[in-house]
Amino acid sequence: MSDTKKKVPAKKGLVSWILYFAGEKKGQYVASVFFALLSVACCIAPYFMIARIVRQLMDGVRDWDLFLRECGIVALFWLGNVLFHAISTSMSHIATFNLLGTIRKRMCDKLTRLPLGTVLDMPSGSLKSTMIDRIDSMETTLAHIIPEYTSNIILSAALVAYLFVLDWRLALASLAVLPVGFVAMCFMFKDGAARFKYALDKTKALNDTAVEYINGIEVIKAFGKSKSSYERFVTAAKEGSDCYVEWMRDCIWPHAVATVVTPSLILSLLPIGGFMFLHGSVSAPLFITVIILALSAVQPFLIAFTYHDDIAKAGAIFNEVGSIMCLPELDRPTADVRKPADNSIVLKDVRFSYHKEIAGEEKKEILHGISMTLPQGSYTAFVGPSGSGKSTIARLIASLWDVDSGSVEIGGVNIKDLSLEEYNRRVAYVSQDNFLFDMSVRDNIRLGRQNATDAEVEEVARKSGCYDFIMSLEKGFDTIVGGSGAHLSGGERQRIAIARAMMKDAPIVILDEATAYTDPENEAIIQKSVAKLVAGKTLIVIAHRLSTVSDADRLYVIKNGVIDSCGTHEELLAQGGLYRNMWEAHISAKDGE
């Protein structure tokens, strides 16, 4: 099973998420834990040597050569600690960077398999925050938490167990302060997961407000709303900071008590052990050995303790990632069930509702039993009032959503039986909101076919009617278009997007109001160019100017989610009704220009 198709676990703990995403890097994490154990062992071993030296001195041993050798062993343990820690950390960092990269890749793959509406419902600021900022913030935690937390907990527990072997009374005495520290920690971690989730929500709200403010700056300035819009950003920023400040304020005293009292094992060990020594219950060498080993148990415990907050945060972030990874995907197989006979399109009793529920209301059906047949190589146009469902039909044919009931078939095969790869090869879709990447015009067009030569790119540009305007740009085809094509006008972006679709050379072409931002003169040029380029292909066009699709083989008039009428331009005019009214209104508008 491929990585992208692995079953996503339900809401799990941190370890389950790490194992799910780690893949073949699990071995590196295991090795890093092993070397971390060696590192911590080398850190603790000198305390045993010190206890041994103290006992020897108390027994009257004065062999300085022996002491020098033992001190040399202590130095070797120190070097081993540094060496094994470096190896462990290096391995865990390499594994962690691979793990974070895997998370991001799988999230990107997931987005390509989600229905378009699901993706559009995700605020871009929140999605960016999760995929970039939140995942990146786990790097330090994951790189250290797996080897260091695990090894320090194990060896700290082993030391406490050894203390019980030496003398269970002194071991209990050394642990007498832990209940105080434990209670303080309980107060500190109280509602920690809920608090962190609340902080995440406020931070995402801040990101969304910032993105909205930046994207809408032109409208804000044009309508003089800079003050009110900026106030929204300031409010979001204040709420984003206040939630962290309040959280830290509530935790500061429990944290102080926990960090001061918990490590102080000798606070209870010294008076209790001293009392036992004075009454002959324990020997001096044993008492001193327990004191030294109790002090050695503090360091690994403290290191492990510092990761508790990070563990909670990483777990919350993984659950946030998991909530995206568990979203329902388009119902498509990994391989085609059978191949379509041709490139004809048939819709059978298609019903569809946008699945986003608003304010608890029931979802509203948009399409009500749409049935139509589009023969291979035909030129079909969808027209109708705004909001009638034209674009929804086009998007269902483009496999951007799944139908609620009924079916969409290509060449006699239900599109749910075709893999996304095969379907994407067959269909080129151009919408009115076209996205260009921040790279050259040439590379944006070449996205339609990665192996296209420069000459082929320029030839497609000529045929699609955008060669002249491209050559008028500062660097021609090598001009960088800017983020989302910001350096170009809306009409120029559309024409490049059409050229990109033509470069794909798919047998089915869907133009969803793809000339909405062009002037009438350029729209006519583009329509003529498109007619030449799509010869022999199955073409679907949605246009707001009826004159540009009057030569279609068949026009479907869509009204309120149903087919009002269909036929050629002449047949629809003869029938009268909605299409004739739309045509007359269109002609009157043209005459008034």
Side-chain angles (χ1 to χ4, degrees):
M1 185 180 293
S2 66
D3 285 347
T4 57
K5 291 296 182 181
K6 281 185 178 179
K7 180 175 176 60
V8 180
K11 188 174 182 180
K12 299 287 186 181
L14 180 59
V15 175
S16 298
W17 283 120
I18 292 173
L19 293 176
Y20 171 71
F21 286 112
E24 60 186 25
K25 300 299 179 182
K26 293 187 185 78
Q28 282 191 326
Y29 275 126
V30 173
S32 72
V33 171
F34 172 74
F35 283 106
L37 283 168
L38 293 179
S39 173
V40 177
C42 288
C43 183
I44 293 175
Y47 288 95
F48 284 89
M49 295 301 301
I50 293 171
R52 174 185 171 89
I53 293 171
V54 170
R55 288 198 303 270
Q56 290 171 340
L57 290 172
M58 294 181 66
D59 291 339
V61 176
R62 296 295 183 267
D63 188 346
W64 300 112
D65 291 336
L66 173 63
F67 293 149
L68 286 175
R69 286 195 299 271
E70 291 176 340
C71 289
I73 294 173
V74 170
L76 288 176
F77 278 129
W78 179 82
L79 290 174
N81 173 42
V82 174
L83 176 62
F84 291 134
H85 180 269
I87 295 174
S88 171
T89 302
S90 297
M91 297 183 74
S92 64
H93 273 83
I94 293 172
T96 296
F97 283 124
N98 280 279
L99 183 143
L100 298 184
T102 298
I103 295 174
R104 290 189 173 113
K105 288 176 183 176
R106 290 194 188 175
M107 288 188 71
C108 288
D109 290 339
K110 179 71 177 184
L111 293 178
T112 65
R113 301 193 302 273
L114 293 176
L116 177 62
T118 302
V119 179
L120 293 179
D121 286 345
M122 300 178 186
S124 58
S126 298
L127 197 56
K128 177 262 180 188
S129 176
T130 299
M131 294 185 68
I132 306 299
D133 302 331
R134 298 300 176 200
I135 292 176
D136 191 59
S137 70
M138 293 194 296
E139 182 270 322
T140 302
T141 300
L142 295 181
H144 293 276
I145 196 175
I146 296 176
E148 296 182 17
Y149 180 82
T150 305
S151 59
N152 280 284
I153 283 291
I154 291 174
L155 288 176
S156 182
L159 272 174
V160 172
Y162 183 66
L163 289 178
F164 275 92
V165 172
L166 291 177
D167 191 296
W168 65 271
R169 299 167 300 171
L170 293 177
L172 286 177
S174 67
L175 300 179
V177 297
L178 290 185
V180 178
F182 180 76
V183 171
M185 280 188 269
C186 288
F187 278 104
M188 187 170 65
F189 295 123
K190 180 183 178 183
D191 301 326
R195 284 177 178 267
F196 186 63
K197 184 180 183 304
Y198 178 73
L200 283 181
D201 291 340
K202 288 299 181 182
T203 303
K204 288 192 290 185
L206 173 59
N207 284 328
D208 294 339
T209 306
V211 171
E212 180 185 44
Y213 182 78
I214 294 170
N215 290 340
I217 193 67
E218 183 177 356
V219 176
I220 291 170
K221 288 181 175 295
F223 290 92
K225 297 295 183 181
S226 57
K227 182 178 180 181
S228 59
S229 300
Y230 187 67
E231 285 176 352
R232 287 185 57 207
F233 175 76
V234 170
T235 300
K238 187 176 186 304
E239 291 177 350
S241 63
D242 285 350
C243 64
Y244 283 103
V245 172
E246 292 172 4
W247 188 6
M248 295 301 106
R249 185 184 293 120
D250 292 341
C251 291
I252 189 168
W253 284 111
H255 180 268
V257 172
T259 53
V260 170
V261 174
T262 305
S264 305
L265 302 184
I266 60 174
L267 284 179
S268 54
L269 176 60
L270 286 179
I272 296 175
F275 179 82
M276 294 171 64
F277 171 71
L278 291 175
H279 287 77
S281 297
V282 295
S283 64
L286 176 61
F287 185 29
I288 292 174
T289 299
V290 171
I291 291 174
I292 294 173
L293 294 183
L295 290 173
S296 71
V298 171
Q299 183 179 8
F301 181 81
L302 279 178
I303 294 174
F305 171 74
T306 59
Y307 286 118
H308 276 284
D309 196 34
D310 293 325
I311 291 173
K313 291 178 181 179
I317 295 172
F318 268 120
N319 287 327
E320 187 178 342
V321 171
S323 66
I324 296 175
M325 297 296 293
C326 291
L327 290 172
E329 302 176 3
L330 288 169
D331 184 15
R332 300 292 184 272
T334 55
D336 302 332
V337 175
R338 59 192 179 98
K339 294 288 186 182
D342 54 29
N343 295 301
S344 61
I345 302 171
V346 177
L347 277 69
K348 296 180 179 179
D349 194 27
V350 169
R351 296 179 180 274
F352 177 75
S353 306
Y354 290 110
H355 291 265
K356 183 180 180 182
E357 298 183 4
I358 303 173
E361 299 178 2
E362 293 184 3
K363 58 187 181 183
K364 182 179 179 182
E365 189 173 83
I366 304 299
L367 301 180
H368 318 291
I370 297 290
S371 298
M372 61 175 64
T373 299
L374 287 62
Q376 174 174 289
S378 63
Y379 171 17
T380 305
F382 299 154
V383 298
S386 177
S388 60
K390 308 183 298 297
S391 293
T392 302
I393 297 174
R395 289 168 179 171
L396 289 173
I397 295 174
S399 193
L400 301 180
W401 279 285
D402 271 336
V403 299
D404 292 345
S405 63
S407 65
V408 178
E409 298 180 358
I410 301 293
V413 179
N414 192 316
I415 64 172
K416 291 185 177 181
D417 294 331
L418 295 174
S419 65
L420 287 175
E421 291 76 13
E422 171 64 18
Y423 202 83
N424 289 334
R425 186 187 67 79
R426 287 180 174 270
V427 178
Y429 176 77
V430 182
S431 71
Q432 58 183 309
D433 299 316
N434 295 295
F435 184 89
L436 299 183
F437 290 91
D438 188 15
M439 51 190 183
S440 70
V441 173
R442 188 188 310 278
D443 289 336
N444 269 286
I445 296 176
R446 188 178 276 127
L447 287 174
R449 181 158 52 89
Q450 294 287 354
N451 60 353
T453 65
D454 289 350
E456 289 173 329
V457 170
E458 293 172 12
E459 181 63 20
V460 165
R462 286 190 180 92
K463 291 181 178 179
S464 61
C466 60
Y467 180 85
D468 291 338
F469 101 76
I470 292 174
M471 293 305 297
S472 69
L473 298 175
E474 182 181 0
K475 295 183 179 179
F477 280 87
D478 295 319
T479 302
I480 302 299
V481 302
S484 303
H487 297 167
L488 304 177
S489 68
E492 290 170 341
R493 289 196 296 271
Q494 285 183 321
R495 292 161 73 180
I496 291 176
I498 291 172
R500 179 171 60 194
M502 296 305 103
M503 176 61 75
K504 186 177 182 180
D505 196 28
I508 299 173
V509 179
I510 302 174
L511 304 179
D512 184 1
E513 297 199 65
T515 57
Y517 297 132
T518 58
D519 55 74
E521 180 181 355
N522 281 322
E523 183 178 30
I525 294 173
I526 292 173
Q527 292 290 352
K528 291 178 181 179
S529 302
V530 168
K532 296 177 183 177
L533 290 167
V534 299
K537 302 180 187 296
T538 304
L539 175 64
I540 301 171
V541 176
I542 299 172
H544 62 292
R545 296 191 181 102
L546 297 183
S547 58
T548 60
V549 293
S550 59
D551 59 339
D553 299 332
R554 181 170 291 266
L555 294 99
Y556 284 89
V557 183
I558 312 299
K559 179 182 179 182
N560 296 328
V562 298
I563 298 175
D564 178 81
S565 55
C566 66
T568 64
H569 172 67
E570 290 76 14
E571 290 171 346
L572 291 173
L573 285 180
Q575 291 176 17
L578 177 59
Y579 182 81
R580 183 169 181 174
N581 293 336
M582 292 172 58
W583 177 258
E584 291 175 350
H586 172 65
I587 295 300
S588 297
K590 288 187 67 177
D591 292 340
E593 291 178 356

